[in-house]
Amino acid sequence: MSQTQRSGTSCPFSERARSFDPFGPAYQADPAEALRWSREEEPVFYSEALGYWVVSRYDDIKAVFRDNITFSPANALEKITPATPEAMEVLKREGYGMNRTLVNEDEPAHMARRRLLLDAFAPEALAAHAPMVRRLVRERLDDIIDRGQSDLVQDMLWDVPLLVALHFLGVPEDDIETLRSFSVAHTVNTWGKPTPGQQVAVAEGVAKFWTYSGEVLARMSAQVDAGDEVHGWMYDMIRQNRVAPEIVTDNYLHSMMMAIIVAAHETTALASANAFRELLGDRHQWDAICADPALIPAAVEECLRHSGSMVAWRRVATRDAEIGGETIPEGGKILMVMASGNHDPRHFESPDALNIWRDNSADHLTFGYGAHQCMGKNIGRMEMAIILEEVSRRIPHLYLDDQDFTYLPNISLRGPEALHVSWDPAQNPERHDPSLREAGRDFPVGAPDRKAITRNLEIADAMPLADGVLGVTLRDPAGGALPSWSPGAHIDIVLPEGESRKYSLCGPADTGDWRIAVLRENEGRGGSRWMHKNAAAGAQLRVRGPHNHFRLEEDASQHILIAGGIGITPIIAMADRLKSLGRNYELHYAGRSRRRMAHLDRARADHGDRLHLHVSEEGARADLAAIIRDAPPRSFIAACGPARLLKALDELVARRDDLTLRFEHFATDESAGDLASGKPFDIRCADSDLTLHVPEDRSLLQTLRAAGIDVPSDCEEGICGSCELAVEAGEIDHRDRVLTASERAAGDRIMTCCSRGKGKLTLKI
């Protein structure tokens, strides 16, 4: 029914919502930009023209993915444009019988099949395919490297993922061009808007694809039944069919044969084309991966976030359910636009900027989420990384030609149909060093390791801020602008021996400067001593970040900011931000003596009577009990400083459930290994419908990653909070220094790098 019928009155949504057209030029050109207004104003709306509820914000899309019972995937492969009678007759004549696959089937059938087929997608199993992927890429590069120009889609990016898909499946390498036309027909048939005249031709292509898939499946089945030594995912499925025909049915085999060729091929081909377009369009970032190939996995992930090939998925509500403040009626069809969610500023800072150093790119929704998350995500990542590594090593000087990019009109799959590039073959590095052709670099299979995402920066100036405190300002040595950051963010300085130290960015945040303050700690681990000795104007540093696990809740009714000593560094940036927003706040700054208190003059000048100084040698120690006692209800308290200060605040705030406390530690006395080991326990991943065992010598974080579940992490010492997951049930052995006493008592979240379960845990992932 329409929204007007649903409400019984006039449509309550805006004119833009009512006129939304995913086949219009705005959405087809840039889906995320086309839905910017929705993310800002109407995150869930009904499109009368489409007959779907459109969901545009990150958290709402993830909520739909999370509940695959309320929001069934049954319509995921439904034709978005109803077939004409003539097209239906073509499909009927050819015996087309496409049925449910992993993408669009409900529980319990979906997970029963998924579990049978999951082992081949484990990271260690996929790593065995890497040499084959590299060989295919090199062969295509050899064909074009002395040509000086190429349509990368035609010459490499379409064929390589298709050949990889066929190899992985165990399908013979038949006519590439035939499969290309089949794949395009399937995309247009499912997600496109062909005219009535085009529908017959599309149906012919789809029917031929179905017939071709059946013929290949019959040959492969005969090989299995004959006992031939054959390998590949489809062969494994055929064997599962022989063992469990009630789960892996004959029709399921045929449907999956057709669907998986598209799923394993077209998504990676288009994502790779998008990645080259974005990276070559930002020369600074392209040059960065050429100079430091360790950044390539991060570049792949950021390109998947910024310009992924899978733009949208569909669901249908099995009951009345609320999403984003709107009630979706039973039977309501939903279009989740992941491309829009991936540009949601509530989850990604400066989301419209491509930033290969971004710390949370792997949170993107391009692969979906939960029980239906793409099983092939890691093979896609691996292919894209190898393609980028080979091209950037052998032709680092290629550039985009001037061209108009075109896309196959549809609502879900997106990537340029052609990508024209040029280069000067005389500058090919391997002409001077032939060994470069074979100098490939392999990467671990899976989401990128945050510790490998570093950039080289230069110290613009270094000067004393107080006794024992050095102020350091960083800049890009190439003169580029550094990414913006939000108050509470920190960066990691990587020391020569590979260890790192965390330093808050002091700001002001709106200047674009990256400024830190380093307290010399003679009894510390040596990082601050190294910085005081070596940090000088012109010196180079390796830096990770910014990361922000200490976010300011800007919309609280009252803010109380508490800094102890060098803890002023994130706190003063928060004060600056609150002042610029006109919010209510008070700033408490405690120190032993004024001469040792960094940014004291700045705090006085910028925050005036909002500043409350507590100087020990002047007999003015901070009365924390009084500060918390007098805090107005619903105050947000942010604190950074010595452990004893944070512990005292934690105990005081725990007595008041109307206050919110957030604090940050930068050091721990225990190693990650010591923190994480302990009694074995089991976990159930509710959203993924998996049960896993965590042994005594492995952390929860390591166990989840080994099962192919992406969980971000940073410090892996229990002090940053980046690996936090929600807990649905079970008792937690908390070992972190992130959660407050009240948060621990709630028992609804765990830091997976160090904390463990006291018995079985159920996680919301």
Side-chain angles (χ1 to χ4, degrees):
M1 76 179 102
S2 73
Q3 170 61 25
T4 302
Q5 293 170 318
R6 183 188 69 84
S7 64
T9 59
S10 61
C11 178
F13 300 113
S14 70
E15 186 58 35
R16 280 190 295 191
R18 299 183 68 179
S19 62
F20 172 73
D21 180 10
F23 291 102
Y27 183 93
Q28 291 296 310
D30 188 341
E33 180 59 31
L35 284 169
R36 181 185 298 275
W37 66 270
S38 173
R39 293 192 298 277
E40 294 173 353
E41 301 169 17
E42 294 179 88
V44 179
F45 66 89
Y46 186 79
S47 167
E48 292 182 327
L50 189 62
Y52 275 75
W53 292 81
V54 181
V55 184
S56 63
R57 282 185 185 169
Y58 182 95
D59 285 344
D60 295 334
I61 294 169
K62 197 168 184 177
V64 174
F65 271 127
R66 174 176 282 123
D67 188 351
N68 63 326
I69 304 300
T70 300
F71 303 106
S72 165
N75 66 335
L77 297 181
E78 182 181 278
K79 282 171 58 64
I80 194 74
T81 301
T84 62
E86 294 80 4
M88 292 295 293
E89 180 58 33
V90 169
L91 295 174
K92 181 180 179 181
R93 184 185 71 228
E94 298 297 328
Y96 177 74
M98 184 78 167
N99 210 321
R100 298 297 180 196
T101 68
L102 285 175
V103 168
N104 64 343
E105 62 185 351
D106 288 313
E107 305 301 349
H110 163 259
M111 190 50 67
R113 288 173 174 149
R114 187 178 176 104
R115 289 194 187 100
L116 285 177
L117 309 172
L118 203 54
D119 288 350
F121 293 93
E124 58 271 19
L126 294 177
H129 298 281
M132 175 270 300
V133 177
R134 193 172 294 279
R135 173 181 60 79
L136 291 172
V137 176
R138 284 182 181 170
E139 289 173 355
R140 293 302 188 272
L141 264 178
D142 288 344
D143 291 340
I144 67 172
I145 194 160
D146 291 323
R147 190 193 302 169
Q149 59 183 16
S150 169
D151 171 2
L152 287 181
V153 173
Q154 176 68 35
D155 293 333
M156 180 189 305
L157 301 182
W158 192 268
D159 289 356
V160 167
L162 178 54
L163 290 170
V164 172
L166 297 179
H167 174 94
F168 178 76
L169 295 171
V171 176
E173 296 180 9
D174 282 42
D175 187 345
I176 293 289
E177 289 304 316
T178 300
L179 286 172
R180 180 195 294 261
S181 65
F182 288 166
S183 186
V184 169
H186 184 273
T187 297
V188 173
N189 182 62
T190 306
W191 295 293
K193 192 178 183 180
T195 65
Q198 294 169 331
Q199 284 220 25
V200 172
V202 169
E204 293 277 4
V206 170
K208 289 177 182 177
F209 196 178
W210 176 257
T211 300
Y212 167 83
S213 300
E215 292 170 350
V216 173
L217 180 62
R219 294 199 300 269
M220 297 176 74
S221 296
Q223 290 177 284
V224 170
D225 293 337
D228 294 350
E229 190 70 23
V230 284
H231 302 283
W233 193 67
M234 278 306 304
Y235 287 115
D236 293 341
M237 289 181 67
I238 293 167
R239 294 185 184 100
Q240 293 286 2
N241 166 263
R242 303 307 191 252
V243 174
E246 73 285 357
I247 297 177
V248 183
T249 65
D250 291 343
N251 180 270
Y252 184 78
L253 278 178
H254 195 164
S255 298
M256 282 299 294
M257 169 64 81
M258 181 172 172
I260 203 70
I261 290 175
V262 176
H265 159 229
E266 194 166 1
T267 53
T268 303
L270 296 176
S272 299
N274 288 335
F276 274 99
R277 179 185 176 181
E278 296 302 328
L279 290 168
L280 291 173
D282 187 328
R283 202 69 203 184
H284 177 66
Q285 301 197 54
W286 173 261
D287 290 343
I289 68 169
C290 292
D292 183 6
L295 289 170
I296 287 174
V300 166
E301 213 67 26
E302 174 64 356
C303 290
L304 287 167
R305 181 203 68 84
H306 186 274
S307 301
S309 57
M310 205 66 209
V311 170
W313 273 115
R314 288 175 285 167
R315 294 292 186 265
V316 59
T318 60
R319 60 175 179 82
D320 289 1
E322 183 176 307
I323 289 292
E326 294 291 340
T327 298
I328 311 290
E330 179 181 350
K333 296 180 179 180
I334 301 166
L335 182 72
M336 301 174 291
V337 185
M338 295 96 68
S340 175
N342 288 341
H343 284 249
D344 190 339
R346 296 157 192 80
H347 194 84
F348 300 102
E349 291 192 10
S350 303
D352 298 327
L354 184 77
N355 176 11
I356 64 174
W357 295 276
R358 187 183 299 275
D359 74 318
N360 67 338
S361 295
D363 290 354
H364 66 76
L365 297 167
T366 304
F367 292 135
Y369 176 79
H372 280 267
Q373 188 174 54
C374 175
M375 282 205 309
K377 63 184 180 180
N378 284 331
I379 197 168
R381 284 165 164 157
M382 180 177 71
E383 288 181 64
M384 292 178 68
I386 290 174
I387 293 170
L388 277 175
E389 196 278 330
E390 287 283 333
V391 175
S392 63
R393 186 183 76 254
R394 298 182 65 186
I395 324 177
H397 48 295
L398 89 167
Y399 57 88
L400 281 176
D401 294 342
D402 290 334
Q403 61 199 289
D404 293 324
F405 294 101
T406 60
Y407 301 84
L408 185 68
N410 74 99
I411 65 166
S412 289
L413 280 166
R414 188 170 190 274
E417 295 180 294
L419 192 76
H420 295 284
V421 298
S422 298
W423 65 95
D424 180 1
Q427 296 181 33
N428 291 353
E430 62 195 60
R431 289 198 174 191
H432 309 287
D433 183 1
S435 68
L436 286 174
R437 182 186 181 276
E438 309 293 334
R441 175 173 184 158
D442 292 321
F443 307 101
V445 177
D449 178 3
R450 287 190 180 189
K451 291 182 171 58
I453 308 175
T454 64
R455 69 175 87 216
N456 293 319
L457 296 182
E458 181 179 85
I459 296 178
D461 62 64
M463 60 183 64
L465 295 178
D467 285 359
V469 181
L470 181 68
V472 177
T473 301
L474 301 170
R475 65 186 175 199
D476 182 346
L482 294 174
S484 60
W485 52 275
S486 56
H490 71 270
I491 58 174
D492 296 355
I493 304 294
V494 183
L495 303 179
E497 62 270 23
E499 295 183 3
S500 64
R501 298 293 183 270
K502 304 178 186 300
Y503 298 102
S504 291
L505 290 166
C506 310
D510 56 0
T511 65
D513 289 341
W514 286 19
R515 302 178 188 178
I516 61 173
V518 183
L519 172 66
R520 183 182 178 95
E521 297 180 275
N522 292 324
E523 304 304 319
R525 294 180 290 171
S528 68
R529 295 194 301 274
W530 186 90
M531 285 290 291
H532 274 254
K533 180 180 179 181
N534 295 282
Q540 301 281 316
L541 292 175
R542 279 200 303 144
V543 178
R544 293 198 295 260
H547 316 291
N548 198 340
H549 314 304
F550 185 36
R551 293 188 179 275
L552 177 65
E553 290 189 9
E554 295 180 353
D555 295 330
S557 59
Q558 173 69 21
H559 297 82
I560 300 173
L561 309 178
I562 303 174
I566 198 62
I568 189 64
T569 50
I571 295 298
I572 197 166
M574 291 182 175
D576 294 339
R577 174 65 175 168
L578 293 171
K579 179 182 178 181
S580 71
L581 294 173
R583 299 287 196 268
N584 294 321
Y585 71 97
E586 55 189 66
L587 170 59
H588 294 267
Y589 186 6
R592 294 181 184 177
S593 66
R594 292 175 185 254
R595 67 180 182 278
R596 300 181 63 180
M597 297 171 69
H599 297 303
L600 182 55
D601 290 342
R602 173 179 155 192
R604 283 173 172 159
D606 294 344
H607 301 288
D609 58 5
R610 305 291 185 100
L611 173 65
H612 304 272
L613 287 179
H614 309 279
V615 185
S616 297
E617 72 174 18
E618 298 174 7
R621 298 180 66 87
D623 187 347
L624 299 179
I627 293 172
I628 301 306
R629 182 194 64 219
D630 297 338
R634 296 180 298 282
S635 291
F636 173 78
I637 303 168
C640 187
R644 62 183 182 278
L645 170 73
L646 302 183
K647 181 180 179 182
L649 284 170
D650 194 10
E651 293 172 351
L652 289 166
V653 173
R655 301 168 194 163
R656 288 193 57 178
D657 58 9
D658 61 340
L659 303 179
T660 298
L661 171 65
R662 190 164 296 160
F663 53 65
E664 185 167 51
H665 283 279
F666 275 173
T668 179
D669 297 329
E670 300 177 85
S671 71
D674 291 338
L675 281 168
S677 61
K679 291 183 179 180
F681 63 103
D682 292 328
I683 57 170
R684 186 175 79 84
C685 302
D687 298 343
S688 304
D689 201 9
L690 294 174
T691 298
L692 304 171
H693 178 70
V694 184
E696 62 182 12
D697 59 347
R698 175 171 281 196
S699 70
L700 173 54
L701 176 65
Q702 292 169 326
T703 302
L704 290 166
R705 286 179 172 168
I709 298 175
D710 298 334
V711 181
S713 68
D714 187 5
C715 73
E716 299 190 12
E717 295 179 346
I719 60 175
C720 76
S722 62
C723 65
E724 175 185 313
L725 289 181
V727 176
E728 187 173 286
E731 189 175 357
I732 305 166
D733 177 9
H734 290 290
R735 303 177 179 191
D736 65 272
R737 296 178 68 182
V738 177
L739 298 177
T740 64
S742 57
E743 288 171 334
R744 290 187 176 202
D748 59 359
R749 64 188 81 176
I750 186 173
M751 301 304 152
T752 59
C753 73
C754 60
S755 298
R756 302 180 69 83
K758 297 179 180 179
K760 188 171 184 177
L761 290 180
T762 300
L763 305 178
K764 294 181 180 179
I765 191 169

